[in-house]
């Protein structure tokens, strides 16, 4: 009934945009410890209400060789909710205020080496921790723009907010299309930076290309874009993860080069990126988006 009403009487775009903007701005003003406590509450509530998502988290954790006991699954829900609330900070918090939330950075020397060589920087981050805030922090440290691949959400009011939030400062976005890929490659060849999330299931209908590669021992349709960009001449490829500290203490940024040799073969290179993603998931298991259907068919 609600869906029928939504189709017959779609919400007014300006009104929805104003309401969502006001809500997210309000969340961005909250202290981080309070915001994370709210995330814990919402996550635990979702644990009991979202049975289908809970079942997917349990199945995905088991596939990854992890123990999906009640306490751990609740923690996954809580961390996922925290990540959702942190979007308000990424979109509306001043970049310099976001910088202060990062208590330490490990591996920045790899970024500096690429900067010294004038190489393009390809940052790869799975859906772990606060990847939006991590990208914002990295963008602030670089002397040039950072372009992120961006798939617009179906709700236009949200799209407008996300676009405005991500193009602040030195941030840029590129659509998930052939034109967007060309934009990214041009930026990398110019010695700039980009961010790609490697664990999205690509959609052939939207121009995404993928291959089947093992992910925790089970075939998963894996994007070829990340490896394609990594193979661009003069590009340094670095994985990063923004670890969320407990009790709203802030974040720690971890950076390390991609592990494993890329040879240009799509299946081989996709498997290399999956193994790197597995490493970060094992390191911060409760902060991974296990709710996502990683094994769905394109």
């Amino acid at each position: 009934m609600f869906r029928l009403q939504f189709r017959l009487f779609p919400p007014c775009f300006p009104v929805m945009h104003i309401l969502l903007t006001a809500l997210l701005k309000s969340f961005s003003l909250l202290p981080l410890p309070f915001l994370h406590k709210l995330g814990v509450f919402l996550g635990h509530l979702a644990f009991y209400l979202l049975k289908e998502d809970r079942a997917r988290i349990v199945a995905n954790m088991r596939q990854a060789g992890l123990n999906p006991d009640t306490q751990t699954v609740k923690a996954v829900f809580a961390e996922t909710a925290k990540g959702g609330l942190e979007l308000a900070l990424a979109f509306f918090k001043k970049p310099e205020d976001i910088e202060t939330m990062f208590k330490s950075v490990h591996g920045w020397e790899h970024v500096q080496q690429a900067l010294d060589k004038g190489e393009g920087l390809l940052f790869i981050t799975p859906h772990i921790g606060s990847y939006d805030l991590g990208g914002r922090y990295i963008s602030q440290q670089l002397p040039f723009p950072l372009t992120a691949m961006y798939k617009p959400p179906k709700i236009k009011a949200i799209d407008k907010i996300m676009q405005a939030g991500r193009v602040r400062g030195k941030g840029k976005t590129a659509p998930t299309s052939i034109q967007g890929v060309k934009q990214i490659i041009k930026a990398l060849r110019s010695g700039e930076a980009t961010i790609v999330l490697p664990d999205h299931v690509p959609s052939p209908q939207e121009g995404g290309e993928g291959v089947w590669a093992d992910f925790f021992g089970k075939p998963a349709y894996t994007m070829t874009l990340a490896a394609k960009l990594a193979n661009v001449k003069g590009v340094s490829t670095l994985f990063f993860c923004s670890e969320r500290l407990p009790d709203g203490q802030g974040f720690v940024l971890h950076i390390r080069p991609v592990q494993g040799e890329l040879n240009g073969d799509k299946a081989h290179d996709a498997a290399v990126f999956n193994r790197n993603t597995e490493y970060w998931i094992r390191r911060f298991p409760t902060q991974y988006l296990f709710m996502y259907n990683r094994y769905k068919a394109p």
Side-chain angles (χ1 to χ4, degrees), residues 95-96 99 108 115 135-148 163-173 183 187 192-195:
E96 53 268 28
E99 284 185 86
W108 189 262
L115 292 176
R136 174 63 61 185
Y137 176 88
I138 290 172
S139 178
Q140 282 299 110
Q141 313 309 311
L142 298 176
F144 42 67
L146 185 151
T147 306
Q163 278 282 28
R166 284 177 170 157
V167 299
R168 296 185 301 151
K170 289 174 282 186
K172 291 183 179 181
T173 60
Q183 179 183 338
E192 295 183 1
T194 188
I195 288 180

Side-chain angles (χ1 to χ4, degrees), residues 32-178:
L32 187 61
F34 183 85
L35 196 70
H36 280 182
K37 285 182 180 179
L38 179 59
V40 172
F41 170 77
L42 294 176
H44 287 179
L45 183 63
F47 171 84
Y48 293 104
L49 297 178
L50 304 180
K51 294 182 179 180
E52 185 177 336
D53 291 314
R54 186 171 70 237
R56 181 177 296 119
I57 290 172
V58 169
N60 286 341
M61 292 190 74
R62 283 177 178 160
Q63 186 63 44
L66 302 170
N67 178 24
D69 58 37
T70 298
Q71 183 179 357
T72 303
V73 175
K74 279 186 175 181
V76 171
F77 268 103
E79 295 300 319
T80 301
K82 290 177 187 178
L85 293 173
E86 287 163 3
L87 289 175
L89 306 179
F91 296 160
F92 292 102
K93 204 79 171 175
K94 292 181 180 178
E96 53 268 28
D97 291 337
I98 292 177
E99 284 185 86
T100 64
M101 297 180 183
F102 283 79
K103 305 308 176 184
S104 61
V105 178
H106 304 292
W108 189 262
E109 65 272 13
H110 303 300
V111 179
Q112 192 58 54
Q113 289 172 7
L115 292 176
D116 293 342
K117 295 177 182 178
E119 295 178 331
L121 279 161
L122 172 60
F123 289 101
I124 306 290
T125 180
H127 289 80
I128 300 177
S130 191
Y131 40 90
D132 268 287
L133 289 178
R136 174 63 61 185
Y137 176 88
I138 290 172
S139 178
Q140 282 299 110
Q141 313 309 311
L142 298 176
F144 42 67
L146 185 151
T147 306
M149 294 294 287
Y150 174 73
K151 181 180 179 180
K154 295 180 180 180
I155 301 177
K156 292 184 178 180
I158 298 178
D159 179 32
K160 186 175 180 180
I161 293 171
M162 294 178 74
Q163 278 282 28
R166 284 177 170 157
V167 299
R168 296 185 301 151
K170 289 174 282 186
K172 291 183 179 181
T173 60
T176 52
S177 64
I178 297 297

Side-chain angles (χ1 to χ4, degrees), residues 246-258:
D247 304 319
Q249 297 176 59
F251 308 91
V252 174
L253 184 65
H254 303 271
I255 303 171
R256 79 167 190 166
V258 61

